[in-house]
Amino acid sequence: MPKSSSRRVFHVRGVAVCLLAVGLVAGVSTATREVTSERLRAADREPENWLIYGGTYRSLRYSPLDQINTSNVRKLAAAWAFQTGVTDNGLQSTPLVADGVMYLIGSGNRVFALDASNGRALWHYFYEPRQVSTQASATGRAAAPTNRGVGLGQGHVYFGTQDNFVVALDATNGKELWRTNVEDTNKYGCRITGAPLVVNDLVVVGSTGGDSAHRGHLVAFDGKTGKQVWRFNVVPGPGEKGHETWEGDSWMYGGGAPWLTGSYDPELNLIYWGTGNASSDFFGGKRKGDNL
């Protein structure tokens, strides 16, 4: 992807816009290679790509590319714009780029693969929910749910949904390969809006809903089959460390959702994931203790 550092992407009300430094030519090939676990671990060596939500596993969200700098930034001009078709909640996702292909998810769980050189859609996938979403917009009507990003790996594009499914698409054509339910969102009020973290052969997702009556959880699935491999509840239950800091049955609805994407240390084989507030965030009278 020669001279790809001439390109930057920003978002305006559901539109992805690519900026091109005037006078810089970016010859982009859309002949993609599979995003393997080895490539993800060595993402620092591919600064022309953006393979992980945080840039690399360290999640610094920093690019070392320097073709656009203080001497030519004033020459930036719009090269192309792409409309996802839904403006509810704007466009809150970070696009991923692999070998000239941009993978983008908009509100309403609409997933696109674009030619990063010209914005041409290579394929699209519009998710049809199997469970009812109750999210509403400021207008009072049902709003298209927010989504903040996708994950890449093993020839798949992964994303989470408002009705709490994890979905895997074929990265070459956008066909759905599997979908797995994490938990009943109508019962527990949790959803998936953050980008999945792909680690080796696993796809790890967190949940939203720190204000809702659930325990918060991280769940890992086999990236090829969608089968659940492990589950970690943020609020500890009986017999788990820290359970004594939740009096009575408050642990059952303590919140603490890990809603945004975490990071990973390949050398230590450790995942780091921040959590949100306890529930209810404006009234803690029913959850005595330190709430670890």
Side-chain angles (χ1 to χ4, degrees), residues 11 14 99 126 249 283:
H11 308 137
D99 308 314
F126 296 169
D249 63 354
F283 177 69

Side-chain angles (χ1 to χ4, degrees), residues 4 30 47 56 65 69 83 95 104 136 181 196 199 215 225-226 228 233 254 259 261 265 271 275-276:
S4 59
T30 56
T56 69
L65 299 177
N69 52 51
Q83 172 62 257
L104 172 72
N181 187 225
V199 174
R215 298 171 63 188
T225 66
Q228 181 176 312
N233 290 307
W259 61 277
T261 308
D265 185 330
I271 290 175
T275 64

Side-chain angles (χ1 to χ4, degrees), residues 94-140:
T94 295
L96 301 185
V97 177
D99 308 314
V101 177
M102 177 184 295
Y103 299 93
L104 172 72
I105 187 168
S107 55
N109 297 140
R110 292 180 166 220
V111 186
F112 302 87
L114 309 177
D115 184 329
S117 67
N118 55 28
R120 179 176 62 90
L122 304 175
W123 55 256
H124 69 266
Y125 170 89
F126 296 169
Y127 177 75
E128 294 293 337
R130 294 183 181 176
Q131 297 187 23
V132 176
S133 171
T134 58
Q135 184 183 14
S137 70
T139 64

Side-chain angles (χ1 to χ4, degrees), residues 8-11 43-44 46-47 49-65 91-97 103-105 147-151 193-197 259-264 273:
R8 292 294 184 269
V9 176
F10 70 96
H11 308 137
D44 286 34
E46 300 185 40
N49 291 319
W50 196 269
L51 302 178
I52 302 169
Y53 175 78
T56 69
Y57 277 139
R58 291 177 293 162
S59 294
L60 299 179
R61 305 186 68 82
Y62 170 77
S63 171
L65 299 177
L91 184 60
Q92 300 186 27
S93 67
T94 295
L96 301 185
V97 177
Y103 299 93
L104 172 72
I105 187 168
N147 198 297
R148 294 181 174 85
V150 299
T193 61
L197 183 65
W259 61 277
L260 200 56
T261 308
S263 57
Y264 172 63
W273 213 294

Side-chain angles (χ1 to χ4, degrees), residues 174-258:
K175 292 184 178 180
E176 182 178 315
L177 300 175
W178 55 258
R179 69 167 73 179
T180 301
N181 187 225
V182 178
E183 201 167 58
D184 185 349
T185 190
N186 292 321
K187 180 178 180 181
Y188 294 100
C190 47
R191 303 174 294 277
I192 305 171
T193 61
L197 183 65
V198 180
V199 174
N200 298 324
D201 58 349
L202 299 179
V203 181
V204 186
V205 298
S207 60
T208 65
D211 301 325
S212 301
H214 66 98
R215 298 171 63 188
H217 50 258
L218 289 177
V219 189
F221 299 92
D222 183 292
K224 289 292 187 183
T225 66
K227 181 180 179 181
Q228 181 176 312
V229 177
W230 55 256
R231 181 187 183 99
F232 171 77
N233 290 307
V234 174
V235 179
E240 297 175 341
K241 185 177 181 180
H243 175 67
E244 69 281 359
T245 68
W246 296 81
E247 292 190 11
D249 63 354
S250 63
W251 63 274
M252 299 177 64
Y253 48 84

